[in-house]
Every structure is written in structure tokens, then in C-alpha cells.
Amino acid sequence: MNNKILIVSDNNEVIVKLKTVAEFLNREVLIKNSVEEAADPLAEGENLSSCLVSLASSESEMQLSRLHLRQGSNVPIFLIRSEDQPISAPPPPGIEIIRLQQDHKKMLQIMGLRSTPQPSIEFPEASRVRLTGESPEITRVRELIEHVSATDANVLLLGESGTGKEVVARSVHSLSSRAKKPFIAVNCAAIPAELLESELFGYEKGAFTGATTTRPGRFELAEGGTLFLDEIGDMPLSMQVKLLRVIQEKSFERVGGSKSFDSNVRIVAATHQNLEESVEKGKFRLDLFYRLNVFPIDIPPLRKRIADIPALLHEFAEKARIGLNQKLAIEFDDAAIALLCDHPLPGNVRELQNLVERMAILYPEQLITVGKLPERYQGIQHVSEPSPEAAAPPFSRANLEAELFSGKFDLKEYLTTVEKNLIYQALDNTDWVVTQAADSLCLRRTTLIQKIRRLNIQNRDKPDLPLSA
């Protein structure tokens, strides 16, 4: 198989960009800076799959194309152009022009990502669902999606907050025979327990104070399609019993009504919690767990699929460009990409997407370098306010002993700072949902709220956003 790519360019910036993409796709690269240097390898073929050309002189490019035709080489040649570079004349016969940023998919095909290029799962246009990445971990998730989508089995999605569980749920729906029917999502943690029943099953007029009209529930709205129950681990036990009955009998009644409605709904549930531990603690019903856990899919955190970060950055940059109505998408240089790959990214894919959108707002249509990234991504691993007082001292026995022997160790201040940083970390990991953060810290929700107020903890990224329940 031809696996080597010949890059002919006198522009170092272009060389770096093309070389980065090629090496990311595990392609060997041969770099030449002039027509003369490229003549021999082009003539001999040297196991070349393609030749990418970007020379300052158009005459040099024409010279290379004539040489290519004269030699009868079967190596395809592509002229690389930037977004704003004008094209004064059509390319020579057999040579194609590629825009460096606009023709990203074509570039992947040229570099031979696969014999049949497929950088991400594509679903029907109406659904616009993408599962981006080529790492072994995300490839395995794709395989599981393809297997279960051909059935009507219930699916349980497991993984940390921000890993893309709803994207996977939509993928299952989009590839199934229910794709043309509704996909309805419910966040069980965001709806108060006393309202969850009416939200799921609907209610009749007069069922309770304020019920002035009849309203269908999410099960009715999802009829024939898929119902996505996010954060199922936060569902109250009383509602778990009612949900189990609906799954078993495939029917339900609205709140305040006696008429039974048939239910033809596929359930995809998701949680960041360990449901088996919740079952042992009596917080989740064992029979419901078995009903939901027919086909589990464990979605890996971003730190376990680092190879997908460059592709995700490109996709999110393009989404930000469209959403912000910008002409060009932002790009991240190699150093910035490397730094993000080394960062733990506790918020996973959601954190990465939010970062890209923030960069697109602050630096529209620009190259994002390390210096433009927020401090927390520049090797400064604090999560509170960027001041010396806010950074917790590392948990190191040597550091503690050094401070103790110096006679200047303030235990109260140290523990307060540690507590503050741990709470920030828990809130970041749960997208600032207090109930989930409290569970991860083994605290009562009211206790955590008191600590947040006492320590004056605020969401630095969205200071005006109220905390979720």
C-alpha cells in the first residue's frame, strides 16, 4: 500500500500544517522545498500515495505539473491554497486545487485515513448526529451502537458527566428503525421529584391545583420512538416503581386519569453513577436495574481517548464558526493542541466544546496559541480565583513537614483552601449541578449549598448562571 505523502512547499507554515495532519493519520511524510528536489522522488514513485504542492511561484508549480505529465507519473498532485488566496487560472489537467481549511474532508481522503474514508459516523441529515473520533475506545462504542440499533433492546449508557451520553443515545435512535419517530430527552435530575410523574406520564385537567388543561407526558410524545432518561440514578424510588410497571406492562395512565395508554417506546437510560452500588445502598431498585441494563455501553472519558482531541477541536471550531456567523473557523496550533491533550479535562467533551466556543468569541477567525488559552489550561492547575491565596498547596508529606518545621503552617487556612478547591472540582465535574456534586462529595445538598455560600464559590465561566438543583 502506498503510504508516503510528498509535500513540496517553500512555506514553512503550510509544511507544518500538512505534516501535522499526515502524521496524525499515521502517514509517512517526505518534504521537499523546490521543484528540483521533488523531481526524483516524484519520478520514481517512492511508494507515494499523493503529492501536495504549495509554492510561492505559480511558474514553479506549472513547472512541476509539466514535469509530472512528461514523466507519466501516476501519483496524484494537489495544489494547496489558503482560504483567501485567489485562483487566477484553472489548474493544469489532472491536477486538483484544495483549500487548506474548507476542504478538510477531502484532505483526509487524500491522506488516506482509510481505504474508504470515514472519520466519523454519519447519520441521516435530519438527525445531524456525529460521533467524532478514530481512537480504539470510540471505535468500540460505534460498534456497540451498530449492534444494538438493529434491535429494540433497552440501553444503559454509563460514563462521566460530559462524555457525550446524549450524543450516543441519539446515535442509537438515528440508526434504528425508529429513526423517523420522535426522540424525547428527559433529565431526571433537573425535574423535582413531585413533578417527575406528571412530566413523564402527563396529567388530566383538574388532576391537581393548576392543572387547567390536559397535557400529554413524555411517554406519549415519544410514542413509536425513543425516550432518553438522562441521570436515571437520581430518579426517586417511588418513581422507579412506576417506571418499572410501564416497562413491564407497556402501558400507563395520566396523573388524575383512569384511561390506559399503550406504550411503544424504546428506553435509553444514562447515568454517571455506579448503579450496582446504588442498588446495594437501597437507592435504586434491582429489578429496574436489570430491565434497563439489557445492553450497557460504557462511554470512555476524554482522557482515555486523547487521540480524538484534534478531530474534536476541528469539529467544535466549525460549529462555533456557524453559530457565531464567522467567515473562518479558529484553528489551534500544535503547541496548544499538545497542551490540551496533556490536560485532564475533567468536564470531558462538554468542557472541550465550551472552551472552543469561548476561544471563537474572544479570538474570532484567529490561530489559537498557548498564550491565548485560559490560565487553567496553561499548566496552572487551580480551579478557584487566579490568585496565590486560591491555589491549594499540594498534598505532599515533604511540603507539609517543611511548613510545620518552619513554624508558619496555618492549618485552618490550608484546610479551607483545600475544601474550596475540592468543591470547585466537584462542581466542574458535574456541570455545576449541586445535587450531583453533593453526591460525589458524600454531602447533603443543603450542606453543600451552605459551604458554597460561606466560601463565596462562583462559576467563573458563567457568573450570572444560577446553580442547578
Side-chain angles (χ1 to χ4, degrees):
M1 175 184 176
N2 295 338
N3 194 49
K4 189 183 298 183
I5 296 172
L6 174 61
I7 298 175
V8 185
S9 179
D10 48 15
N11 185 322
N12 189 58
E13 183 178 346
V14 172
I15 291 174
V16 169
K17 287 183 179 180
L18 295 176
K19 184 172 181 288
T20 300
V21 175
E23 290 181 345
F24 177 71
L25 300 178
N26 296 319
R27 293 303 183 198
E28 187 178 349
V29 177
L30 180 63
I31 298 174
K32 301 297 180 182
N33 300 117
S34 66
V35 174
E36 292 74 22
E37 292 180 11
D40 288 343
L42 194 60
E44 296 169 4
E46 286 202 16
N47 202 28
L48 299 176
S49 64
S50 59
C51 176
L52 310 181
V53 182
S54 176
L55 295 168
S57 168
S58 57
E59 177 56 37
S60 296
E61 292 181 336
M62 289 297 295
Q63 181 185 349
L64 184 65
S65 65
R66 287 193 295 267
L67 177 65
H68 176 257
L69 292 172
R70 187 167 62 249
Q71 292 174 338
S73 173
N74 60 357
V75 178
I77 289 186
F78 301 90
L79 300 183
I80 306 301
R81 295 289 182 264
S82 62
E83 304 307 299
D84 55 354
Q85 189 173 356
I87 299 175
S88 56
I95 295 180
E96 188 175 347
I97 292 179
I98 298 293
R99 292 288 189 186
L100 195 55
Q101 292 176 325
Q102 288 181 351
D103 299 329
H104 178 71
K105 288 187 178 180
K106 181 67 175 177
M107 185 69 70
L108 291 178
Q109 292 180 24
I110 292 169
M111 294 195 176
L113 181 59
R114 291 180 175 178
S115 54
T116 303
Q118 186 184 8
S120 61
I121 281 185
E122 296 286 352
F123 301 102
E125 288 187 8
S127 65
R128 296 183 182 178
V129 179
R130 292 172 58 86
L131 195 60
T132 301
E134 287 298 317
S135 64
E137 293 80 9
I138 209 66
T139 299
R140 176 58 178 162
V141 171
R142 280 204 198 93
E143 293 171 351
L144 293 174
I145 290 172
E146 291 171 2
H147 284 302
V148 77
S149 295
T151 74
D152 266 340
N154 291 334
V155 180
L156 181 61
L157 305 178
L158 307 169
E160 298 176 7
S161 295
T163 50
K165 292 189 284 294
E166 184 168 345
V167 173
V168 174
R170 290 183 181 275
S171 302
V172 171
H173 174 75
S174 299
L175 286 178
S176 73
S177 59
R178 300 174 179 267
K180 294 183 179 180
K181 296 294 184 177
F183 176 91
I184 303 296
V186 181
N187 189 324
C188 300
I191 302 174
E194 60 272 15
L195 299 180
L196 189 56
E197 181 179 4
S198 59
E199 189 71 26
L200 289 177
F201 307 127
Y203 54 82
E204 297 289 351
K205 180 179 179 180
F208 49 81
T209 303
T212 56
T213 60
T214 296
R215 180 185 172 187
R218 301 300 179 94
F219 268 91
E220 285 181 73
L221 297 176
E223 179 63 22
T226 301
L227 181 64
F228 176 50
L229 299 177
D230 197 10
E231 300 303 347
I232 189 73
D234 291 307
M235 179 177 284
L237 282 170
S238 58
M239 272 304 303
Q240 292 178 30
V241 176
K242 296 175 182 178
L243 176 61
L244 178 64
R245 179 176 176 273
V246 175
I247 295 175
Q248 290 175 336
E249 300 183 9
K250 297 188 180 301
S251 65
F252 63 92
E253 296 85 35
R254 291 175 180 160
V255 176
S258 57
K259 179 183 176 180
S260 180
F261 292 84
D262 291 335
S263 176
N264 174 23
V265 170
R266 181 201 202 138
I267 293 179
V268 178
T271 181
H272 71 284
Q273 300 180 25
N274 186 324
L275 289 188
E276 293 186 57
E277 289 184 1
S278 297
V279 169
E280 292 177 1
K281 295 176 181 178
K283 295 181 178 180
F284 203 85
R285 292 183 62 93
L286 180 62
D287 44 8
L288 179 58
F289 172 70
Y290 284 132
R291 285 286 184 176
L292 297 175
N293 196 38
V294 176
F295 195 91
I297 299 179
D298 201 340
I299 305 170
L302 196 52
R303 63 182 175 275
K304 292 186 178 179
R305 42 178 294 218
I306 294 173
D308 295 333
I309 289 179
L312 287 167
L313 287 172
H314 175 82
E315 179 175 310
F316 293 151
E318 183 61 22
K319 285 183 178 179
R321 180 192 70 80
I322 295 171
L324 298 171
N325 196 26
Q326 296 174 351
K327 183 179 178 181
L328 300 176
I330 61 172
E331 290 186 50
F332 290 77
D333 69 7
D334 293 346
I337 293 175
L339 195 63
L340 291 174
C341 288
D342 287 339
H343 195 275
L345 294 169
N348 293 297
V349 178
R350 184 188 295 124
E351 179 181 350
L352 194 67
Q353 183 171 10
N354 291 344
L355 171 66
V356 173
E357 184 174 358
R358 189 190 321 168
M359 294 296 97
I361 294 172
L362 292 173
Y363 309 104
E365 304 179 9
Q366 296 182 35
L367 179 69
I368 306 302
T369 60
V370 170
K372 293 177 181 177
L373 293 175
E375 282 187 343
R376 64 179 298 178
Y377 299 99
Q378 297 183 35
I380 303 174
Q381 301 299 325
H382 56 73
V383 293
S384 54
E385 294 298 324
S387 63
E389 297 79 21
F395 276 107
S396 163
R397 177 167 181 158
N399 288 347
L400 288 174
E401 288 180 351
E403 292 193 41
L404 284 170
F405 285 131
S406 71
K408 297 180 181 179
F409 184 76
D410 189 329
L411 179 61
K412 182 178 179 181
E413 180 182 354
Y414 185 90
L415 293 178
T416 299
T417 305
V418 170
E419 181 182 32
K420 188 173 183 179
N421 280 358
L422 289 175
I423 292 174
Y424 263 115
Q425 189 66 53
L427 289 167
D428 281 342
N429 289 347
T430 59
D431 203 25
W432 288 74
V433 176
V434 176
T435 301
Q436 297 176 18
D439 287 343
S440 68
L441 293 170
C442 298
L443 295 174
R444 296 178 59 183
R445 179 176 174 276
T446 53
T447 302
L448 179 56
I449 290 176
Q450 291 173 356
K451 290 179 178 292
I452 289 172
R453 291 172 178 167
R454 175 173 59 83
L455 297 170
N456 192 28
I457 292 174
Q458 296 179 340
N459 190 335
R460 291 189 298 122
D461 294 334
K462 300 175 182 178
D464 299 326
L465 184 69
L467 291 171
S468 301

